Amino acid sequence: MLTTIWTVTSILLIRAAQCATIVPLTAPSYASQPLLDSFVSFSIEFSSFPDFAGNSTHPNTFSYNLLQNLWDLQGTPPIIRVGGNTQDYYTFDATQQEALVGSVDPSRSPDYPTTISIGPSYFDSYTTWPGFSYVHGLNLGKNGTVGYDTLVATVPLVCQHLAATNRLAYWQLGNEPDLFETSTQGPVRPSWWAEPQYVEEYLNKTRIIRGLVQEHCPEVIEQDRLKYQAPSFAGTANNLDLVTTWNEGIDADSEIALIDSHNYINGATAPGVTLQGTLMNHTSTVISVDKHIDEIRQPAIADSGLPYILGETNSLYNQGAPGLSDSFGAALWGVDFNLYCAASGIRRVHMHQGTNYRYASWQPIDTNLATTATKAPYYGNIAVATFLGNTSASDNVRISELDLDSEPYHSAYAAYINDRLERIALVQMQAYNSTDGGQGGDRPSETFTLQLDGDFSTVQEIEILRLTASGSNAVTDVSFDGYSYSHDLDDGRPSLLPDVPRGEVVQVTSGGEVVVDLPWSSAAVLILKRSS
């Protein structure tokens, strides 16, 4: 069990605010556009999906419970994108009894199979989570006869198992084609393959898909549900440019619903990557996300009127690094990253998952490398969903970043519902190791002073929901508002811990100030309580 890690007497206030942070009570002009519903969503590696979902005979109820928790918080279920690198490796075998047969080549990737065959039973995994919808990744990487045969064989199964049962959110063709020429798993396109060639191939194959859909599930076309997340690029500054691709006419058939890009802050084995300098660092997050914001502002993208999303993202590419991506510090990074995305114009975020992946929010099954467990990053997902609240169409949720100083180790955000301030998020990212307290020192803390700007007369008090662990390097014993989502306690359902403080409130002063202390390496969601 998690022991109490902060008390009023044990907090050392090391940094008093120089001036109060202004928090407008009415949404400012720079607040984001309304978020899409299901803002907190997931991407699951194609080869891992049967592990995460199970099948109709043995559904993975642990995964379902964790996803249901988020649905309860944000009012709409996370949308599950099934894709990633392995979506461009699979072929289809109609006679294969197994859902997926894969072969791992450690020289190409030690984390997932790079030779994959799926059978019809793969699609049975889509039946296990009632009420959830999916983005099914179709293979673009395979060329020639095998690629064509796989496409022609799998589209009717998407129709049968997803479109016909209202489980299909969007279609997707290919994963990160901007890396097809240089993939570390082996190039699948020649060096001269550029935006015109990609767009031509994309349109040719989506038109084949349209013909198959017309044949097997024509209601999808009749109901205007043949819509794509595209182009699913790895990010900015790769071999294909998103803006150039758009100008080349990738949406000539008006079938793209969401402009989809991917993001990773850095690489798992990149030199100089650290928890404090890379993940628990607001400046690092701003630099990474702002590359996407630059794309959003380009005329070709802005004039399309289409939402821009991150269809795949997480902390460190190559499936994360142990001690970094699976730590509580990564959970804090996830809160800051998602909320900065929300405040900056990215309308939905799919956090990528995979079996045995170091950055995953949960390990879905027991393997020879890991046991079934809820991991620290999941608690960041819970905190984000709690702060954003109900993002369904009934609420108009807009986010703004609050102006702190230039210190890279903290951030703050405001959530507006129908333009009225409802919640504030505070993230303190100064690294504090769980072993530091054993050296006789108190855990340092930062004081945030917030000045409510506007008519605060009805705001009586502020409820504080804390995201805590024993330190930024902790990989277990994490809680949010006193709750654990451990697999061992109640199979991922919220379990109230008896020894973690919760139910904390602070008063608003007569001058409209709110003062909150955050221990290093922690975060909090503040909920305004009004008299009317």
Side-chain angles (χ1 to χ4, degrees):
M1 285 294 184
L2 178 66
T3 58
T4 301
I5 62 170
W6 61 269
T7 65
V8 173
T9 57
S10 67
I11 293 174
L12 174 63
L13 303 181
I14 61 98
R15 185 185 295 115
Q18 297 300 311
C19 59
T21 297
I22 303 299
V23 186
L25 284 166
T26 302
S29 59
Y30 51 83
S32 71
Q33 292 179 277
L35 302 179
L36 296 178
D37 58 10
S38 307
F39 182 90
V40 178
S41 285
F42 290 99
S43 167
I44 297 178
E45 189 66 49
F46 191 92
S47 61
S48 298
F49 181 59
D51 294 339
F52 276 78
N55 56 45
S56 57
T57 304
H58 297 94
N60 192 318
T61 55
F62 171 53
S63 291
Y64 176 77
N65 291 339
L66 293 177
L67 292 168
Q68 183 66 53
N69 296 334
L70 295 164
W71 185 348
D72 292 343
L73 291 169
Q74 68 179 3
T76 47
I79 295 172
I80 310 301
R81 176 247 188 180
V82 180
N85 283 349
T86 55
Q87 87 177 66
D88 280 319
Y89 299 152
Y90 74 86
T91 58
F92 180 78
D93 182 352
T95 66
Q96 179 176 304
Q97 297 299 307
E98 299 87 353
L100 184 146
V101 176
S103 176
V104 175
D105 179 353
S107 67
R108 297 181 70 191
S109 174
D111 291 318
Y112 49 71
T114 50
T115 302
I116 299 170
S117 173
I118 66 169
S121 62
Y122 180 92
F123 292 84
D124 184 51
S125 293
Y126 284 117
T127 67
T128 63
W129 297 337
F132 287 83
S133 62
Y134 302 88
V135 180
H136 177 81
L138 296 163
N139 189 326
L140 179 66
K142 295 287 185 186
N143 247 338
T145 301
V146 67
Y148 176 81
D149 289 346
T150 295
L151 187 66
V152 169
T154 52
V155 169
L157 292 171
V158 176
C159 281
Q160 176 185 344
H161 292 276
L162 291 171
T165 56
N166 292 319
R167 291 189 176 98
L168 184 64
Y170 303 100
W171 304 71
Q172 188 169 81
L173 177 63
N175 173 75
E176 300 181 355
D178 52 328
L179 299 182
F180 276 6
E181 302 167 52
T182 57
S183 172
T184 56
Q185 282 79 41
V188 294
R189 294 296 185 277
S191 59
W192 48 261
W193 195 71
E195 289 88 355
Q197 290 76 37
Y198 164 64
V199 169
E200 180 181 14
E201 182 176 343
Y202 179 89
L203 290 173
N204 285 341
K205 290 184 176 178
T206 54
R207 288 163 183 167
I208 291 172
I209 294 168
R210 185 178 184 85
L212 292 165
V213 170
Q214 183 65 61
E215 178 182 355
H216 294 278
C217 49
E219 69 278 3
V220 169
I221 295 175
E222 294 165 3
Q223 298 167 9
D224 197 28
R225 291 191 290 125
L226 183 57
K227 295 295 184 180
Y228 289 83
Q229 286 187 187
S232 188
F233 281 0
T236 58
N238 290 313
N239 296 318
L240 302 178
D241 176 72
L242 188 149
V243 175
T244 303
T245 298
W246 206 265
N247 286 330
E248 286 288 337
I250 188 173
D251 197 29
D253 294 339
S254 300
E255 290 179 346
I256 294 177
L258 301 170
I259 299 174
D260 179 357
S261 189
H262 299 174
N263 181 283
Y264 290 88
I265 292 290
N266 212 315
T269 59
V273 169
T274 64
L275 190 58
Q276 182 73 91
T278 308
L279 296 183
M280 295 175 63
N281 190 308
H282 183 62
T283 301
S284 174
T285 289
V286 168
I287 292 171
S288 183
V289 173
D290 279 0
K291 296 174 184 177
H292 296 278
I293 307 310
D294 290 342
E295 285 186 336
I296 292 174
R297 292 170 177 165
Q298 295 297 313
I301 304 303
D303 293 347
S304 73
L306 297 176
Y308 187 111
I309 69 166
L310 295 183
E312 176 186 325
T313 187
N314 215 304
S315 56
L316 303 173
Y317 62 79
N318 291 339
Q319 295 74 58
L324 299 179
S325 301
D326 57 352
S327 72
F328 182 62
L332 296 174
W333 164 82
V335 175
D336 185 42
F337 177 83
N338 276 270
L339 298 190
Y340 185 73
C341 286
S344 301
I346 293 172
R347 309 283 291 283
R348 180 182 291 141
V349 173
H350 293 253
M351 302 299 288
H352 197 51
Q353 315 295 310
T355 306
N356 300 328
Y357 284 14
R358 275 73 65 188
Y359 56 51
S361 292
W362 69 96
Q363 170 71 9
I365 61 170
D366 289 339
T367 70
N368 62 337
L369 297 176
T371 58
T372 307
T374 308
K375 300 171 72 175
Y378 178 77
Y379 291 83
N381 306 147
I382 287 287
V384 170
T386 300
F387 170 74
L388 297 179
N390 191 333
T391 56
S392 64
S394 60
D395 284 342
N396 181 345
V397 181
R398 302 173 65 198
I399 308 300
S400 70
E401 184 181 12
L402 297 177
D403 185 17
L404 301 177
D405 57 39
S406 59
E407 160 69 59
Y409 303 135
H410 60 204
S411 61
Y413 302 89
Y416 297 90
I417 312 302
N418 296 319
D419 290 336
R420 187 176 82 161
L421 178 69
E422 297 292 346
R423 291 177 287 276
I424 300 168
L426 303 174
V427 189
Q428 211 299 326
M429 292 177 285
Q430 183 71 49
Y432 177 84
N433 287 339
S434 57
T435 56
D436 289 349
Q439 299 172 2
D442 291 327
R443 184 168 184 165
S445 178
E446 178 174 5
T447 298
F448 292 81
T449 302
L450 309 172
Q451 176 64 60
L452 301 183
D453 184 21
D455 181 7
F456 53 82
S457 60
T458 62
V459 183
Q460 294 183 314
E461 59 186 19
I462 307 288
E463 182 182 7
I464 302 178
L465 284 57
R466 294 184 182 266
L467 176 63
T468 61
S470 57
S472 52
N473 62 333
V475 296
T476 59
D477 292 336
V478 183
S479 68
F480 179 72
D481 190 33
Y483 283 91
S484 169
Y485 295 86
S486 169
H487 168 263
D488 296 335
L489 291 181
D490 193 12
D491 203 25
R493 300 177 187 90
S495 298
L496 185 61
L497 298 173
D499 52 0
V500 178
R502 64 186 304 270
E504 181 184 1
V505 296
V506 295
Q507 302 301 312
V508 180
T509 71
S510 59
E513 279 194 346
V514 179
V515 180
V516 180
D517 296 327
L518 255 67
W520 278 11
S521 299
S522 69
V525 174
L526 280 55
I527 301 176
L528 277 66
K529 299 296 184 179
R530 289 183 167 87
S531 59
S532 61

